[in-house]
PDB file of all heavy atoms in Angstrom:
ATOM      1  N   ALA A   1      13.387  15.667   1.633  1.00  0.00           N
ATOM      2  CA  ALA A   1      13.669  14.301   1.193  1.00  0.00           C
ATOM      3  C   ALA A   1      13.134  13.289   2.199  1.00  0.00           C
ATOM      4  O   ALA A   1      12.658  12.206   1.817  1.00  0.00           O
ATOM      5  CB  ALA A   1      15.166  14.109   0.981  1.00  0.00           C
ATOM      6  N   CYS A   2      13.204  13.630   3.492  1.00  0.00           N
ATOM      7  CA  CYS A   2      12.617  12.759   4.520  1.00  0.00           C
ATOM      8  C   CYS A   2      11.124  12.573   4.271  1.00  0.00           C
ATOM      9  O   CYS A   2      10.601  11.449   4.320  1.00  0.00           O
ATOM     10  CB  CYS A   2      12.840  13.358   5.906  1.00  0.00           C
ATOM     11  SG  CYS A   2      14.533  13.280   6.521  1.00  0.00           S
ATOM     12  N   ARG A   3      10.427  13.674   4.015  1.00  0.00           N
ATOM     13  CA  ARG A   3       8.971  13.596   3.791  1.00  0.00           C
ATOM     14  C   ARG A   3       8.654  12.831   2.519  1.00  0.00           C
ATOM     15  O   ARG A   3       7.705  12.034   2.473  1.00  0.00           O
ATOM     16  CB  ARG A   3       8.394  15.010   3.710  1.00  0.00           C
ATOM     17  CG  ARG A   3       8.468  15.745   5.022  1.00  0.00           C
ATOM     18  CD  ARG A   3       8.077  17.206   4.859  1.00  0.00           C
ATOM     19  NE  ARG A   3       8.470  17.918   6.063  1.00  0.00           N
ATOM     20  CZ  ARG A   3       8.829  19.188   6.107  1.00  0.00           C
ATOM     21  NH1 ARG A   3       8.852  19.908   4.996  1.00  0.00           N
ATOM     22  NH2 ARG A   3       9.168  19.744   7.242  1.00  0.00           N
ATOM     23  N   ASP A   4       9.443  13.067   1.476  1.00  0.00           N
ATOM     24  CA  ASP A   4       9.206  12.351   0.224  1.00  0.00           C
ATOM     25  C   ASP A   4       9.455  10.857   0.401  1.00  0.00           C
ATOM     26  O   ASP A   4       8.735  10.029  -0.154  1.00  0.00           O
ATOM     27  CB  ASP A   4      10.099  12.915  -0.879  1.00  0.00           C
ATOM     28  CG  ASP A   4       9.693  14.315  -1.305  1.00  0.00           C
ATOM     29  OD1 ASP A   4       8.489  14.621  -1.264  1.00  0.00           O
ATOM     30  OD2 ASP A   4      10.580  15.111  -1.659  1.00  0.00           O
ATOM     31  N   ALA A   5      10.475  10.508   1.191  1.00  0.00           N
ATOM     32  CA  ALA A   5      10.746   9.095   1.456  1.00  0.00           C
ATOM     33  C   ALA A   5       9.600   8.461   2.224  1.00  0.00           C
ATOM     34  O   ALA A   5       9.205   7.313   1.959  1.00  0.00           O
ATOM     35  CB  ALA A   5      12.053   8.948   2.233  1.00  0.00           C
ATOM     36  N   LEU A   6       9.044   9.194   3.180  1.00  0.00           N
ATOM     37  CA  LEU A   6       7.879   8.696   3.916  1.00  0.00           C
ATOM     38  C   LEU A   6       6.687   8.496   2.983  1.00  0.00           C
ATOM     39  O   LEU A   6       5.989   7.484   3.059  1.00  0.00           O
ATOM     40  CB  LEU A   6       7.511   9.674   5.034  1.00  0.00           C
ATOM     41  CG  LEU A   6       8.447   9.704   6.247  1.00  0.00           C
ATOM     42  CD1 LEU A   6       8.184  10.937   7.100  1.00  0.00           C
ATOM     43  CD2 LEU A   6       8.278   8.437   7.075  1.00  0.00           C
ATOM     44  N   ALA A   7       6.466   9.458   2.089  1.00  0.00           N
ATOM     45  CA  ALA A   7       5.332   9.362   1.169  1.00  0.00           C
ATOM     46  C   ALA A   7       5.489   8.187   0.220  1.00  0.00           C
ATOM     47  O   ALA A   7       4.541   7.419  -0.004  1.00  0.00           O
ATOM     48  CB  ALA A   7       5.188  10.665   0.385  1.00  0.00           C
ATOM     49  N   VAL A   8       6.683   8.020  -0.354  1.00  0.00           N
ATOM     50  CA  VAL A   8       6.921   6.906  -1.269  1.00  0.00           C
ATOM     51  C   VAL A   8       6.714   5.581  -0.557  1.00  0.00           C
ATOM     52  O   VAL A   8       6.112   4.642  -1.100  1.00  0.00           O
ATOM     53  CB  VAL A   8       8.337   6.996  -1.878  1.00  0.00           C
ATOM     54  CG1 VAL A   8       8.735   5.686  -2.537  1.00  0.00           C
ATOM     55  CG2 VAL A   8       8.402   8.137  -2.890  1.00  0.00           C
ATOM     56  N   SER A   9       7.191   5.498   0.680  1.00  0.00           N
ATOM     57  CA  SER A   9       7.033   4.257   1.431  1.00  0.00           C
ATOM     58  C   SER A   9       5.559   3.953   1.698  1.00  0.00           C
ATOM     59  O   SER A   9       5.113   2.801   1.609  1.00  0.00           O
ATOM     60  CB  SER A   9       7.806   4.367   2.747  1.00  0.00           C
ATOM     61  OG  SER A   9       7.995   3.101   3.336  1.00  0.00           O
ATOM     62  N   GLN A  10       4.786   4.994   1.992  1.00  0.00           N
ATOM     63  CA  GLN A  10       3.335   4.798   2.168  1.00  0.00           C
ATOM     64  C   GLN A  10       2.664   4.404   0.855  1.00  0.00           C
ATOM     65  O   GLN A  10       1.762   3.563   0.830  1.00  0.00           O
ATOM     66  CB  GLN A  10       2.703   6.077   2.710  1.00  0.00           C
ATOM     67  CG  GLN A  10       3.008   6.377   4.168  1.00  0.00           C
ATOM     68  CD  GLN A  10       2.274   5.455   5.130  1.00  0.00           C
ATOM     69  OE1 GLN A  10       1.492   4.599   4.733  1.00  0.00           O
ATOM     70  NE2 GLN A  10       2.532   5.625   6.423  1.00  0.00           N
ATOM     71  N   HIS A  11       3.106   5.000  -0.240  1.00  0.00           N
ATOM     72  CA  HIS A  11       2.539   4.641  -1.547  1.00  0.00           C
ATOM     73  C   HIS A  11       2.812   3.176  -1.878  1.00  0.00           C
ATOM     74  O   HIS A  11       1.948   2.477  -2.428  1.00  0.00           O
ATOM     75  CB  HIS A  11       3.133   5.540  -2.637  1.00  0.00           C
ATOM     76  CG  HIS A  11       2.769   6.981  -2.489  1.00  0.00           C
ATOM     77  ND1 HIS A  11       3.501   8.006  -3.058  1.00  0.00           N
ATOM     78  CD2 HIS A  11       1.760   7.586  -1.817  1.00  0.00           C
ATOM     79  CE1 HIS A  11       2.957   9.157  -2.748  1.00  0.00           C
ATOM     80  NE2 HIS A  11       1.896   8.934  -1.999  1.00  0.00           N
ATOM     81  N   LEU A  12       4.010   2.710  -1.529  1.00  0.00           N
ATOM     82  CA  LEU A  12       4.330   1.307  -1.767  1.00  0.00           C
ATOM     83  C   LEU A  12       3.441   0.396  -0.931  1.00  0.00           C
ATOM     84  O   LEU A  12       2.989  -0.656  -1.396  1.00  0.00           O
ATOM     85  CB  LEU A  12       5.797   1.045  -1.446  1.00  0.00           C
ATOM     86  CG  LEU A  12       6.787   1.521  -2.509  1.00  0.00           C
ATOM     87  CD1 LEU A  12       8.203   1.533  -1.953  1.00  0.00           C
ATOM     88  CD2 LEU A  12       6.714   0.647  -3.750  1.00  0.00           C
ATOM     89  N   LYS A  13       3.169   0.806   0.311  1.00  0.00           N
ATOM     90  CA  LYS A  13       2.263   0.009   1.149  1.00  0.00           C
ATOM     91  C   LYS A  13       0.886  -0.080   0.495  1.00  0.00           C
ATOM     92  O   LYS A  13       0.270  -1.151   0.449  1.00  0.00           O
ATOM     93  CB  LYS A  13       2.146   0.636   2.532  1.00  0.00           C
ATOM     94  CG  LYS A  13       1.136  -0.089   3.427  1.00  0.00           C
ATOM     95  CD  LYS A  13       0.909   0.639   4.729  1.00  0.00           C
ATOM     96  CE  LYS A  13      -0.163  -0.069   5.552  1.00  0.00           C
ATOM     97  NZ  LYS A  13      -0.457   0.660   6.821  1.00  0.00           N
ATOM     98  N   ILE A  14       0.411   1.039  -0.021  1.00  0.00           N
ATOM     99  CA  ILE A  14      -0.905   1.059  -0.666  1.00  0.00           C
ATOM    100  C   ILE A  14      -0.915   0.145  -1.889  1.00  0.00           C
ATOM    101  O   ILE A  14      -1.815  -0.670  -2.086  1.00  0.00           O
ATOM    102  CB  ILE A  14      -1.289   2.503  -1.057  1.00  0.00           C
ATOM    103  CG1 ILE A  14      -1.499   3.350   0.202  1.00  0.00           C
ATOM    104  CG2 ILE A  14      -2.542   2.514  -1.926  1.00  0.00           C
ATOM    105  CD1 ILE A  14      -1.626   4.837  -0.072  1.00  0.00           C
ATOM    106  N   ILE A  15       0.127   0.287  -2.725  1.00  0.00           N
ATOM    107  CA  ILE A  15       0.205  -0.527  -3.942  1.00  0.00           C
ATOM    108  C   ILE A  15       0.265  -2.011  -3.607  1.00  0.00           C
ATOM    109  O   ILE A  15      -0.370  -2.848  -4.270  1.00  0.00           O
ATOM    110  CB  ILE A  15       1.430  -0.115  -4.775  1.00  0.00           C
ATOM    111  CG1 ILE A  15       1.237   1.289  -5.348  1.00  0.00           C
ATOM    112  CG2 ILE A  15       1.698  -1.118  -5.899  1.00  0.00           C
ATOM    113  CD1 ILE A  15       2.480   1.882  -5.944  1.00  0.00           C
ATOM    114  N   LYS A  16       1.015  -2.343  -2.560  1.00  0.00           N
ATOM    115  CA  LYS A  16       1.211  -3.745  -2.215  1.00  0.00           C
ATOM    116  C   LYS A  16       0.007  -4.369  -1.509  1.00  0.00           C
ATOM    117  O   LYS A  16      -0.092  -5.592  -1.400  1.00  0.00           O
ATOM    118  CB  LYS A  16       2.454  -3.895  -1.334  1.00  0.00           C
ATOM    119  CG  LYS A  16       3.770  -3.624  -2.061  1.00  0.00           C
ATOM    120  CD  LYS A  16       4.938  -3.613  -1.084  1.00  0.00           C
ATOM    121  CE  LYS A  16       6.257  -3.294  -1.772  1.00  0.00           C
ATOM    122  NZ  LYS A  16       6.723  -4.368  -2.653  1.00  0.00           N
ATOM    123  N   THR A  17      -0.906  -3.539  -0.998  1.00  0.00           N
ATOM    124  CA  THR A  17      -2.019  -4.080  -0.231  1.00  0.00           C
ATOM    125  C   THR A  17      -3.399  -3.752  -0.786  1.00  0.00           C
ATOM    126  O   THR A  17      -4.386  -4.356  -0.391  1.00  0.00           O
ATOM    127  CB  THR A  17      -1.962  -3.565   1.222  1.00  0.00           C
ATOM    128  OG1 THR A  17      -2.012  -2.132   1.227  1.00  0.00           O
ATOM    129  CG2 THR A  17      -0.678  -4.023   1.909  1.00  0.00           C
ATOM    130  N   GLN A  18      -3.476  -2.794  -1.679  1.00  0.00           N
ATOM    131  CA  GLN A  18      -4.786  -2.348  -2.153  1.00  0.00           C
ATOM    132  C   GLN A  18      -5.474  -3.409  -2.992  1.00  0.00           C
ATOM    133  O   GLN A  18      -4.864  -4.064  -3.833  1.00  0.00           O
ATOM    134  CB  GLN A  18      -4.631  -1.061  -2.961  1.00  0.00           C
ATOM    135  CG  GLN A  18      -5.950  -0.443  -3.404  1.00  0.00           C
ATOM    136  CD  GLN A  18      -5.739   0.968  -3.911  1.00  0.00           C
ATOM    137  OE1 GLN A  18      -5.444   1.867  -3.136  1.00  0.00           O
ATOM    138  NE2 GLN A  18      -5.855   1.142  -5.195  1.00  0.00           N
ATOM    139  N   ASP A  19      -6.769  -3.575  -2.776  1.00  0.00           N
ATOM    140  CA  ASP A  19      -7.572  -4.516  -3.558  1.00  0.00           C
ATOM    141  C   ASP A  19      -7.753  -3.952  -4.969  1.00  0.00           C
ATOM    142  O   ASP A  19      -8.410  -2.920  -5.156  1.00  0.00           O
ATOM    143  CB  ASP A  19      -8.938  -4.714  -2.880  1.00  0.00           C
ATOM    144  CG  ASP A  19      -9.769  -5.784  -3.565  1.00  0.00           C
ATOM    145  OD1 ASP A  19      -9.505  -6.126  -4.735  1.00  0.00           O
ATOM    146  OD2 ASP A  19     -10.702  -6.269  -2.922  1.00  0.00           O
ATOM    147  N   ILE A  20      -7.165  -4.613  -5.967  1.00  0.00           N
ATOM    148  CA  ILE A  20      -7.189  -4.069  -7.328  1.00  0.00           C
ATOM    149  C   ILE A  20      -8.584  -4.105  -7.943  1.00  0.00           C
ATOM    150  O   ILE A  20      -8.822  -3.522  -8.993  1.00  0.00           O
ATOM    151  CB  ILE A  20      -6.201  -4.814  -8.242  1.00  0.00           C
ATOM    152  CG1 ILE A  20      -6.570  -6.300  -8.347  1.00  0.00           C
ATOM    153  CG2 ILE A  20      -4.770  -4.624  -7.768  1.00  0.00           C
ATOM    154  CD1 ILE A  20      -5.740  -7.059  -9.364  1.00  0.00           C
ATOM    155  N   LYS A  21      -9.531  -4.799  -7.284  1.00  0.00           N
ATOM    156  CA  LYS A  21     -10.897  -4.812  -7.805  1.00  0.00           C
ATOM    157  C   LYS A  21     -11.635  -3.514  -7.506  1.00  0.00           C
ATOM    158  O   LYS A  21     -12.753  -3.308  -7.967  1.00  0.00           O
ATOM    159  CB  LYS A  21     -11.668  -5.989  -7.196  1.00  0.00           C
ATOM    160  CG  LYS A  21     -11.117  -7.361  -7.613  1.00  0.00           C
ATOM    161  CD  LYS A  21     -11.906  -8.478  -6.960  1.00  0.00           C
ATOM    162  CE  LYS A  21     -11.323  -9.840  -7.364  1.00  0.00           C
ATOM    163  NZ  LYS A  21     -12.046 -10.966  -6.705  1.00  0.00           N
ATOM    164  N   GLY A  22     -10.998  -2.657  -6.719  1.00  0.00           N
ATOM    165  CA  GLY A  22     -11.605  -1.364  -6.450  1.00  0.00           C
ATOM    166  C   GLY A  22     -12.647  -1.391  -5.359  1.00  0.00           C
ATOM    167  O   GLY A  22     -13.498  -0.498  -5.282  1.00  0.00           O
ATOM    168  N   THR A  23     -12.620  -2.395  -4.506  1.00  0.00           N
ATOM    169  CA  THR A  23     -13.606  -2.462  -3.429  1.00  0.00           C
ATOM    170  C   THR A  23     -13.267  -1.518  -2.298  1.00  0.00           C
ATOM    171  O   THR A  23     -14.096  -1.251  -1.438  1.00  0.00           O
ATOM    172  CB  THR A  23     -13.675  -3.892  -2.857  1.00  0.00           C
ATOM    173  OG1 THR A  23     -12.426  -4.214  -2.256  1.00  0.00           O
ATOM    174  CG2 THR A  23     -13.994  -4.888  -3.952  1.00  0.00           C
ATOM    175  N   GLY A  24     -12.007  -1.045  -2.288  1.00  0.00           N
ATOM    176  CA  GLY A  24     -11.585  -0.170  -1.211  1.00  0.00           C
ATOM    177  C   GLY A  24     -11.050  -0.915  -0.013  1.00  0.00           C
ATOM    178  O   GLY A  24     -10.569  -0.317   0.946  1.00  0.00           O
ATOM    179  N   LYS A  25     -11.121  -2.238  -0.022  1.00  0.00           N
ATOM    180  CA  LYS A  25     -10.597  -3.019   1.089  1.00  0.00           C
ATOM    181  C   LYS A  25      -9.073  -3.062   1.012  1.00  0.00           C
ATOM    182  O   LYS A  25      -8.511  -3.301  -0.041  1.00  0.00           O
ATOM    183  CB  LYS A  25     -11.161  -4.436   1.058  1.00  0.00           C
ATOM    184  CG  LYS A  25     -12.672  -4.498   1.262  1.00  0.00           C
ATOM    185  CD  LYS A  25     -13.156  -5.943   1.187  1.00  0.00           C
ATOM    186  CE  LYS A  25     -14.660  -6.013   1.378  1.00  0.00           C
ATOM    187  NZ  LYS A  25     -15.158  -7.413   1.263  1.00  0.00           N
ATOM    188  N   MET A  26      -8.440  -2.841   2.139  1.00  0.00           N
ATOM    189  CA  MET A  26      -6.989  -2.813   2.188  1.00  0.00           C
ATOM    190  C   MET A  26      -6.493  -4.064   2.896  1.00  0.00           C
ATOM    191  O   MET A  26      -6.310  -4.087   4.109  1.00  0.00           O
ATOM    192  CB  MET A  26      -6.510  -1.560   2.920  1.00  0.00           C
ATOM    193  CG  MET A  26      -7.015  -0.265   2.295  1.00  0.00           C
ATOM    194  SD  MET A  26      -6.293   0.038   0.683  1.00  0.00           S
ATOM    195  CE  MET A  26      -4.654   0.492   1.167  1.00  0.00           C
ATOM    196  N   THR A  27      -6.333  -5.133   2.154  1.00  0.00           N
ATOM    197  CA  THR A  27      -5.874  -6.383   2.755  1.00  0.00           C
ATOM    198  C   THR A  27      -4.687  -6.903   1.978  1.00  0.00           C
ATOM    199  O   THR A  27      -4.663  -6.856   0.747  1.00  0.00           O
ATOM    200  CB  THR A  27      -6.992  -7.441   2.730  1.00  0.00           C
ATOM    201  OG1 THR A  27      -7.454  -7.611   1.385  1.00  0.00           O
ATOM    202  CG2 THR A  27      -8.161  -7.008   3.601  1.00  0.00           C
ATOM    203  N   PRO A  28      -3.689  -7.411   2.669  1.00  0.00           N
ATOM    204  CA  PRO A  28      -2.523  -7.950   1.962  1.00  0.00           C
ATOM    205  C   PRO A  28      -2.885  -9.216   1.220  1.00  0.00           C
ATOM    206  O   PRO A  28      -3.849  -9.904   1.549  1.00  0.00           O
ATOM    207  CB  PRO A  28      -1.537  -8.236   3.098  1.00  0.00           C
ATOM    208  CG  PRO A  28      -2.382  -8.410   4.315  1.00  0.00           C
ATOM    209  CD  PRO A  28      -3.568  -7.507   4.126  1.00  0.00           C
ATOM    210  N   SER A  29      -2.116  -9.513   0.192  1.00  0.00           N
ATOM    211  CA  SER A  29      -2.335 -10.735  -0.568  1.00  0.00           C
ATOM    212  C   SER A  29      -2.173 -11.942   0.345  1.00  0.00           C
ATOM    213  O   SER A  29      -1.455 -11.908   1.348  1.00  0.00           O
ATOM    214  CB  SER A  29      -1.331 -10.820  -1.720  1.00  0.00           C
ATOM    215  OG  SER A  29      -1.454  -9.692  -2.559  1.00  0.00           O
ATOM    216  N   SER A  30      -2.842 -13.012   0.017  1.00  0.00           N
ATOM    217  CA  SER A  30      -2.830 -14.216   0.837  1.00  0.00           C
ATOM    218  C   SER A  30      -1.403 -14.715   1.060  1.00  0.00           C
ATOM    219  O   SER A  30      -0.639 -14.873   0.118  1.00  0.00           O
ATOM    220  CB  SER A  30      -3.657 -15.313   0.162  1.00  0.00           C
ATOM    221  OG  SER A  30      -3.586 -16.512   0.886  1.00  0.00           O
ATOM    222  N   GLY A  31      -1.062 -14.940   2.323  1.00  0.00           N
ATOM    223  CA  GLY A  31       0.240 -15.491   2.659  1.00  0.00           C
ATOM    224  C   GLY A  31       1.381 -14.508   2.641  1.00  0.00           C
ATOM    225  O   GLY A  31       2.530 -14.881   2.873  1.00  0.00           O
ATOM    226  N   VAL A  32       1.098 -13.226   2.362  1.00  0.00           N
ATOM    227  CA  VAL A  32       2.147 -12.208   2.282  1.00  0.00           C
ATOM    228  C   VAL A  32       2.088 -11.340   3.532  1.00  0.00           C
ATOM    229  O   VAL A  32       1.023 -10.880   3.932  1.00  0.00           O
ATOM    230  CB  VAL A  32       1.973 -11.335   1.021  1.00  0.00           C
ATOM    231  CG1 VAL A  32       3.021 -10.233   0.989  1.00  0.00           C
ATOM    232  CG2 VAL A  32       2.044 -12.189  -0.227  1.00  0.00           C
ATOM    233  N   GLN A  33       3.238 -11.142   4.146  1.00  0.00           N
ATOM    234  CA  GLN A  33       3.295 -10.287   5.321  1.00  0.00           C
ATOM    235  C   GLN A  33       2.957  -8.845   4.935  1.00  0.00           C
ATOM    236  O   GLN A  33       3.384  -8.361   3.889  1.00  0.00           O
ATOM    237  CB  GLN A  33       4.690 -10.335   5.940  1.00  0.00           C
ATOM    238  CG  GLN A  33       5.026 -11.653   6.621  1.00  0.00           C
ATOM    239  CD  GLN A  33       4.170 -11.907   7.842  1.00  0.00           C
ATOM    240  OE1 GLN A  33       3.889 -10.999   8.622  1.00  0.00           O
ATOM    241  NE2 GLN A  33       3.719 -13.149   7.987  1.00  0.00           N
TER     242      GLN A  33
END
């Protein structure tokens, strides 16, 4: 469960920061921590 929690948290980071245009750039949305 610890590992799954770590994985889910990383997945959320990816979802929250991934460029949806598919450029592969990992940048947060403007003004968002």
Side-chain angles (χ1 to χ4, degrees):
C2 288
R3 293 172 193 150
D4 290 327
L6 287 166
V8 165
S9 196
Q10 287 287 358
H11 295 158
L12 283 166
K13 176 187 177 183
I14 293 169
I15 292 169
K16 291 173 182 290
T17 59
Q18 185 167 290
D19 186 341
I20 61 173
K21 295 179 181 178
T23 64
K25 296 179 180 178
M26 303 292 287
T27 55
S29 302
S30 176
V32 177
Q33 289 294 320

